[in-house]
Amino acid sequence: DDDDDAEDGAAAAGAEGESKKKKKKKKKSKQKPAAADGTAEAAASSNGQPTAAANGASAYQQTEPPAIPVRLLFPSGKFPEGEWQSYKDDNLWRETSAEKRELERLQADMINDVRQAAEVHRQVRSYIRKIAKPGIPLTHLCETLEDSVRQLIEARGLDAGIAFPTGCSLNWVAAHWTPNAGDKTVLQYDDVMKLDFGTQIGGRIIDSAFTIAFNPRYDPLLEAVKDATNTGKAAWKLDKGSTLRRLTQLGSTLRHQMLSQCLTVVAAFDTV
């Protein structure tokens, strides 16, 4: 009887196994999420692999060179926050005041627009750092930068676009120089370039400038500027004093920080 039961059990198990083999499920094909105008899908399929969606971001990466409008990369319509700087001392109440929190909530749409402009700036800035190399004509650099801003921000006249002409000041030129049409200036290995550009949505400007240098002799200068920038961010605060007094105090703090570095920079470029 035991042998018969074992054979019956084996037969039943075999039949069950055959039944399971016959019930194979068909795999469902996964469809890629489509962009509003198909741009994101086409660009991503030719440029790289999709990434996992997080924080409302699209499943697709930005292309290189950047071509997908930032709006399509964040289908939730909510754009990423930047770095937070806390208030200090007698201004801490601004972070805990119910009235201030309500005012911020009422400005949520405006703040979100500003964050969109900031994300455009961040993505364009990241790309420009990669192509700003010795030998590139500054006219080409600025045109590439501004075209990228227009593409990513979906330029709409005065409603959205570049905030001002791109500054790419070299060496002894402190700021606000931009090449005119036909300018033949080419970026050189020994140049120190201050690149300054802005984005805007609804007239609210996001502006950021950074320095590009290739010769290692300028590394201490770049580090000193970074330290001074971080010192300035930490020192800035809103108070009951005048705007002029606040700016004067901030300028003094930045100057003191730079002088404390005791830098001796010997220029590698001709100043004639």
Side-chain angles (χ1 to χ4, degrees):
D1 291 342
D2 292 339
D3 291 340
D4 292 339
D5 290 341
E7 289 177 3
D8 290 342
E16 184 178 354
E18 289 297 324
S19 177
K20 285 183 178 179
K21 289 180 181 179
K22 292 179 181 179
K23 293 181 180 180
K24 289 183 178 179
K25 294 183 180 180
K26 295 181 179 180
K27 294 183 178 179
K28 295 182 179 180
S29 59
K30 296 182 179 179
Q31 295 182 346
K32 295 180 179 179
D37 60 357
T39 306
E41 182 173 351
S45 62
S46 64
N47 188 68
Q49 298 296 324
T51 58
N55 298 326
S58 167
Y60 293 99
Q61 293 179 342
Q62 182 57 271
T63 59
E64 189 172 304
I68 305 175
V70 163
R71 176 180 60 84
L72 299 181
L73 297 176
F74 295 88
S76 68
K78 185 176 181 180
F79 298 97
E81 298 177 356
E83 178 183 349
W84 279 87
Q85 289 286 334
S86 292
Y87 289 103
K88 294 180 178 295
D89 306 326
D90 57 346
N91 278 296
L92 283 173
W93 66 273
R94 292 175 178 272
E95 296 184 5
T96 58
S97 168
E99 180 180 358
K100 289 295 183 183
R101 289 200 301 269
E102 178 62 15
L103 287 173
E104 183 174 326
R105 186 189 67 79
L106 293 174
Q107 295 179 324
D109 290 341
M110 180 272 289
I111 294 174
N112 195 52
D113 285 345
V114 171
R115 286 174 177 161
Q116 180 182 359
E119 180 63 18
V120 170
H121 198 293
R122 185 191 68 79
Q123 292 190 16
V124 173
R125 186 169 71 243
S126 176
Y127 174 64
I128 292 301
R129 282 185 177 276
K130 297 176 182 178
I131 68 170
K133 303 296 181 183
I136 188 171
L138 294 187
T139 298
H140 175 65
L141 178 68
C142 291
E143 289 177 347
T144 300
L145 186 155
E146 292 176 1
D147 287 344
S148 297
V149 169
R150 293 186 184 99
Q151 177 72 16
L152 268 59
I153 210 167
E154 299 173 282
R156 303 181 297 282
L158 295 178
D159 292 332
I162 61 173
F164 49 81
T166 301
C168 53
S169 308
L170 296 179
N171 307 326
W172 60 88
V173 180
H176 304 155
W177 182 87
T178 190
N180 292 320
D183 189 283
K184 304 298 183 182
T185 306
V186 174
L187 187 62
Q188 304 294 332
Y189 173 78
D190 286 322
D191 284 337
V192 176
M193 179 173 65
K194 287 74 66 179
L195 197 58
D196 184 5
F197 73 98
T199 60
Q200 66 88 13
I201 293 179
R204 296 180 174 89
I205 294 175
I206 292 295
D207 179 15
S208 177
F210 54 98
T211 303
I212 294 176
F214 311 102
N215 193 324
R217 76 173 65 194
Y218 297 119
D219 288 349
L221 175 62
L222 299 185
E223 288 302 318
V225 171
K226 289 180 182 178
D227 288 343
T229 301
N230 291 329
T231 298
K233 289 194 297 184
W236 175 253
K237 65 178 182 178
L238 296 173
D239 59 23
K240 298 177 181 179
S242 68
T243 301
L244 177 60
R245 183 169 68 85
R246 295 200 302 270
L247 293 176
T248 300
Q249 290 174 342
L250 179 61
S252 177
T253 300
L254 293 174
R255 181 175 182 275
H256 181 270
Q257 178 65 21
M258 284 299 296
L259 291 176
S260 70
Q261 302 293 327
C262 299
L263 289 173
T264 300
V265 178
V266 179
F269 44 80
D270 184 7
T271 58
V272 175

